[in-house]
Amino acid sequence: MTFLGMPAGGGNLTGTPFPKAARGALGDDQLRRNLAKATSTIRTKRASVVGELPDWAELRLAGAAIKDEVLANLDEYLVRFEEALTSRGTHVHWARDAEEANRIITDLVKATGTREVIKVKSMATVEIGLNEALADAGVHAVETDLAELIVQLGNDKSSHILVPAIHRNRTEIRDVFRREMAGVDPDLTDDPRALAEAARKHLRQKFMTVDVAISGANFGVAETGALVVVESEGNGRMCLTLPRTLISVVGIEKLVPSWRDLEVFMQLLPRSSTGERMNPYTSVWTGPTEGQTSHVVLVDNGRTATLADPDGRAALRCIRCSACLNSCPVYERTGGHAYGSTYPGPIGAVLSPQLTGVDKNPTLPFASSLCGVCYDVCPVAIDIPSMLVHLRSRVTESKRATPESTAMRAVGWVMSDSRRWSRLIRLGKFGRLASRHVPLPGWSSARDLPLPPKQTFRDWWESR
Amino acid sequence: MRVALFVTCLVDALFPDVGKSTVRLLERLGHEVVVPSAQTCCGQMHINTGYQGQALPIVRNHVAAFEQADVIVAPSGSCAGSVRHQHADVARKGGDEKLAEAAEDTAKRTFELSEFLVDVLKVTDVGAYFPHRVTYHPTCHSLRMLKVQDKPLQLLRAVEGIDLVELPDAETCCGFGGTFALKNSATSTAMLEDKTSAVLSTEADVLTAGDSSCLMHIGGGLSRLRSGTRTLHLAQVLENTR
């Protein structure tokens, strides 16, 4: 067998460099208000329901341990999963990257003769750019998750894992519906009930007529071949049960060993994501229902490459709850589009560069102040700050000499010897006059620099 | 007790008063302070900006400088955090297992100031007098890397004459993050603006914290706003007596 190397992730995982992309959002006051309001509401709810569980710390460690065990033996679990699926009549396909996954799915859809598919919200299909690939093949994909539908109708991009339309307020949503939803009431108000009812009518018609559905999965159970979708609206359940063809697109890291393991994640996930004790709809299916054809497409797209890195692989524990996004002070101010990837926020800043290779996402590891709140709230204890630091090293090591690396080298040389160091800081007092007039790019736009003291601490100590 | 002061590079070069206050406070509590002259910096800026290779000789220097110390105290949660959570890792990645073990040993002897006072010396009332309206910012690395919890507040509450007021959204990062403030200056500024408004809403005379770096950032913002609120390190508040 020829070893072809580990495929790099493609699809919607790269974008404009973070500092540049962030500037747009930072200048948009409405967006910043929408984000601050939404994230602080979810943060408060999460904190309250997490606080109810006395064994949260143990659950969190259990979640991390189960995922680590799966990742350490992923080859075996995947084979077991495939066998279980196949034995119950599901067709299993393997995709190395986004392109291959799109080709497989597009061929499956085209073979049914349909021109329209319905979708239950799936990050994996957004990651690989499935809707775009289907559109190129003349197939229209209808998102049925309400927030995903808003994003799709608005010809927009999702900006949050759980709440893809978090950057929109309800007046903006009403405008999108009025403009883009066929047959909508032209006097539609921005009352949430009215908006939900309009979406419901629109979607109901699709559920009753479209015969091919595409789903993702929150979990796959290796032991039984069961797939699990966790959702709030019930639209996912309509997708999973009504159509005659069901195609599920699953990242290879989504497995848990056994049915019992779900117990842990069903406590961790809803509390971390929506701040609820339990989500309204959990669908589990093992193989096709009568008269249905079912396919599972297992997607790598950079995951084995991530797995190969001992310092970064824990990012694959992620269960896409979005607690890190909702807590992150950087995300709260820039929004998700600034990250340029399907996966925004702190987890995106470590996951995207690993899936694509750091050369394709060199600014994301630096899109954090390393405040560490993401690690504190992560239900599977991913040490995102340490991982960011590790990825920063990989970015700087992959570059040739830059003014920054030269400066760092020089300062490092000074700091590794106390005589050099004390000589340097003594120069500070001579720099006192200059210091107020030397601009430090970025810093001096909003902050004054401190005046170097007349005497360093070291000199004071020696003179004492 | 004989206490080795890890003064930190920022305090040494830019905020010597913080170092002086730490020395005077510890001496007032009856301890002998030594300042190992071979020390420079913990290398955190290099590590966190992605220059682990360049950080290795800095870590080696730090470990050697404090080899003889029984107990090491730093007036910085961030630098103590780097020593405790990053040094051994940097050494190991640099292929120096012996240094990694020595760094682990240094880490065990290293304490942030409030931890040292409350956990090691078992003192919360340090006999300070500070008759001003004060608010406290729990810096991210003290809060989350070191988990100092409310130790700084225990110390502040015991200060005579103090009017301690709560900072809204206190646990939110000020946006400094070392070179983050330069690389992502617009985002950092947005975070700083929210922090300075929160500080001003308290109408405090003084904002205090356990890290000079965060105080430099917030203080730089407050100064630009021509606000009357000063920033003082926790050691400077605690050093003050009647």
Side-chain angles (χ1 to χ4, degrees):
Chain A
M1 199 171 96
T2 318
F3 180 62
L4 297 170
M6 284 173 291
N12 294 321
L13 293 169
T14 50
T16 311
F18 184 87
K20 190 165 177 239
R23 245 170 276 150
L26 290 163
D28 184 342
D29 290 346
Q30 179 66 53
L31 174 73
R32 276 175 68 183
R33 273 197 300 274
N34 295 351
L35 282 168
K37 184 162 183 280
T39 55
S40 78
T41 307
I42 311 179
R43 271 202 302 271
T44 312
K45 279 175 71 183
R46 178 207 158 270
S48 126
V49 294
V50 163
E52 290 173 354
L53 293 188
D55 60 347
W56 183 257
E58 286 84 1
L59 274 171
R60 186 173 180 247
L61 293 178
I66 293 167
K67 278 286 183 181
D68 280 353
E69 213 272 321
V70 168
L71 293 172
N73 302 290
L74 192 58
D75 49 348
E76 288 170 32
Y77 282 117
L78 281 167
V79 170
R80 204 174 302 165
F81 186 56
E82 180 183 33
E83 283 167 4
L85 284 168
T86 310
S87 73
R88 288 188 168 87
T90 293
H91 306 276
V92 178
H93 312 260
W94 297 82
R96 274 175 301 187
D97 55 19
E99 202 185 324
E100 193 171 24
N102 287 332
R103 194 171 58 241
I104 293 167
I105 302 160
T106 309
D107 287 348
L108 289 171
V109 171
K110 281 206 295 206
T112 67
T114 188
R115 306 302 297 262
E116 198 163 53
V117 298
I118 49 174
K119 286 181 69 199
V120 45
K121 189 199 158 190
S122 149
M123 294 303 284
T125 62
V126 183
E127 172 191 324
I128 61 176
L130 179 64
N131 289 9
E132 298 90 316
L134 285 171
D136 289 343
V139 177
H140 178 57
V142 181
E143 295 291 350
T144 68
D145 174 84
L146 179 55
E148 205 65 61
L149 177 69
I150 293 164
V151 167
Q152 185 179 40
L153 289 174
N155 205 12
D156 200 353
K157 276 187 164 181
S158 67
S159 67
H160 190 278
I161 290 176
L162 179 77
V163 202
I166 195 168
H167 56 293
R168 298 286 199 186
N169 63 27
R170 58 188 213 220
T171 314
E172 293 172 294
I173 294 166
R174 180 204 59 192
D175 294 344
V176 168
F177 279 13
R178 276 192 192 167
R179 200 171 58 236
E180 304 288 340
M181 204 178 255
V184 79
D185 175 4
D187 297 323
L188 181 69
T189 67
D190 65 1
D191 171 40
R193 281 184 68 101
L195 293 173
E197 191 54 33
R200 187 184 158 90
K201 274 192 189 147
H202 173 80
L203 289 173
R204 187 52 59 104
Q205 191 261 332
K206 299 288 179 191
F207 290 134
M208 302 316 279
T209 56
V210 181
D211 221 20
V212 178
I214 296 176
S215 88
N218 291 90
F219 303 100
V221 182
E223 176 184 60
T224 59
L227 287 165
V228 183
V229 160
V230 176
E231 47 135 1
S232 299
E233 293 159 7
N235 294 335
R237 180 163 296 181
M238 303 286 265
C239 287
L240 297 167
T241 50
L242 289 171
R244 296 174 65 84
T245 304
L246 174 62
I247 305 166
S248 304
V249 186
V250 184
I252 54 169
E253 85 288 12
K254 288 281 169 186
L255 299 192
V256 295
S258 72
W259 177 249
R260 255 207 85 176
D261 297 311
L262 285 176
E263 168 202 1
V264 171
F265 295 103
M266 292 313 293
Q267 293 179 77
L268 290 172
L269 182 56
R271 284 176 200 259
S272 301
S273 56
T274 51
E276 293 169 297
R277 295 184 185 93
M278 183 51 72
N279 53 291
Y281 294 89
T282 301
S283 302
V284 185
W285 71 103
T286 19
T289 52
E290 209 179 307
Q292 195 186 46
T293 309
S294 95
H295 298 270
V296 167
V297 183
L298 292 165
V299 182
D300 183 330
N301 206 35
R303 285 161 176 78
T304 46
T306 306
L307 194 58
D309 180 357
D311 292 307
R313 70 171 58 130
L316 295 178
R317 284 183 201 154
C318 176
I319 56 172
R320 313 282 189 262
C321 72
S322 72
C324 65
L325 277 64
N326 298 329
S327 310
C328 176
V330 172
Y331 178 89
E332 185 179 328
R333 285 159 186 89
T334 64
H337 291 157
Y339 295 79
S341 162
T342 300
Y343 303 109
I347 189 64
V350 292
L351 194 56
S352 308
Q354 293 199 85
L355 291 175
T356 62
V358 289
D359 55 323
K360 300 248 175 54
N361 262 315
T363 58
L364 287 185
F366 297 92
S368 164
S369 66
L370 301 180
C371 82
V373 69
C374 48
Y375 183 20
D376 273 11
V377 297
C378 178
V380 284
I382 303 172
D383 185 353
I384 295 175
S386 296
M387 223 174 260
L388 287 165
V389 168
H390 157 71
L391 290 171
R392 289 175 183 191
S393 283
R394 288 202 8 220
V395 173
T396 57
E397 280 156 17
S398 69
K399 282 188 189 165
R400 289 159 189 270
T402 59
E404 182 192 273
S405 71
T406 309
M408 284 289 183
R409 197 175 293 276
V411 176
W413 181 76
V414 170
M415 283 179 166
S416 54
D417 181 285
S418 64
R419 279 157 304 183
R420 291 175 208 148
W421 168 247
S422 53
R423 271 201 296 276
L424 176 80
I425 60 174
R426 276 190 195 117
L427 294 175
K429 59 188 169 192
F430 301 112
R432 282 172 62 84
L433 276 176
S435 71
R436 288 271 156 161
H437 307 287
V438 180
L440 197 52
W443 182 277
S444 38
S445 61
R447 316 155 183 85
D448 291 333
L449 272 171
L451 214 54
K454 292 197 174 99
Q455 188 187 36
T456 65
F457 173 80
R458 194 169 288 265
D459 288 340
W460 171 79
W461 178 258
E462 280 163 16
S463 69
R464 205 173 166 238
Chain B
M1 198 181 291
R2 193 177 150 99
V3 182
L5 179 66
F6 165 30
V7 72
T8 80
C9 66
L10 193 70
V11 169
D12 192 359
L14 284 178
F15 302 101
D17 289 347
V18 174
K20 294 177 201 171
S21 293
T22 312
V23 170
R24 290 182 193 127
L25 173 65
L26 293 170
E27 286 179 346
R28 191 176 81 216
L29 295 171
H31 303 281
E32 184 195 349
V33 178
V34 292
V35 183
S37 63
Q39 65 175 298
T40 56
C41 167
C42 65
Q44 187 185 180
M45 180 180 75
H46 285 82
I47 301 168
N48 286 350
T49 314
Y51 295 90
Q52 297 221 357
Q54 268 87 307
L56 186 65
I58 309 177
V59 169
R60 189 171 288 132
N61 180 74
H62 182 86
V63 169
F66 289 96
E67 205 176 0
Q68 305 297 324
D70 302 326
V71 59
I72 305 157
V73 176
S76 163
S78 177
C79 308
S82 184
V83 168
R84 222 182 274 172
H85 296 287
Q86 295 183 318
H87 275 195
D89 193 41
V90 167
R92 224 157 249 140
K93 280 194 183 133
D96 193 338
E97 183 57 34
K98 222 178 130 198
L99 178 63
E101 280 163 25
E104 274 162 2
D105 183 60
T106 312
K108 280 188 209 130
R109 290 177 280 129
T110 302
F111 299 91
E112 179 270 342
L113 180 62
S114 74
E115 284 181 325
F116 180 69
L117 295 171
V118 177
D119 289 348
V120 182
L121 299 182
K122 315 275 180 207
V123 55
T124 47
D125 186 349
V126 296
Y129 172 71
F130 196 77
H132 301 282
R133 192 174 170 89
V134 175
T135 195
Y136 169 73
H137 169 62
T139 61
C140 298
H141 289 177
S142 298
L143 187 70
R144 303 196 182 91
M145 257 181 145
L146 296 179
K147 313 268 182 221
V148 301
Q149 297 159 321
D150 71 335
K151 283 159 209 162
L153 285 168
Q154 289 180 38
L155 293 159
L156 286 169
R157 279 187 213 116
V159 172
E160 196 191 337
I162 200 168
D163 175 15
L164 192 60
V165 285
E166 198 178 324
L167 180 65
D169 297 319
E171 296 190 354
T172 305
C173 177
C174 73
F176 174 56
T179 50
F180 172 77
L182 301 174
K183 285 178 184 283
N184 284 286
S185 61
T187 309
S188 167
T189 301
M191 290 159 74
L192 174 64
E193 280 164 2
D194 291 344
K195 185 56 73 178
T196 50
S197 336
V199 172
L200 295 181
S201 78
T202 66
E203 297 179 358
D205 309 314
V206 170
L207 168 75
T208 190
D211 272 279
S212 297
S213 50
C214 314
L215 288 173
M216 175 176 75
H217 187 237
I218 307 171
L222 290 170
S223 159
R224 182 63 59 93
L225 295 173
R226 302 276 174 268
S227 87
T229 308
R230 287 185 300 154
T231 52
L232 282 179
H233 191 279
L234 181 67
Q236 292 172 294
V237 175
L238 298 181
E239 189 239 336
N240 217 63
T241 50
R242 201 183 267 277

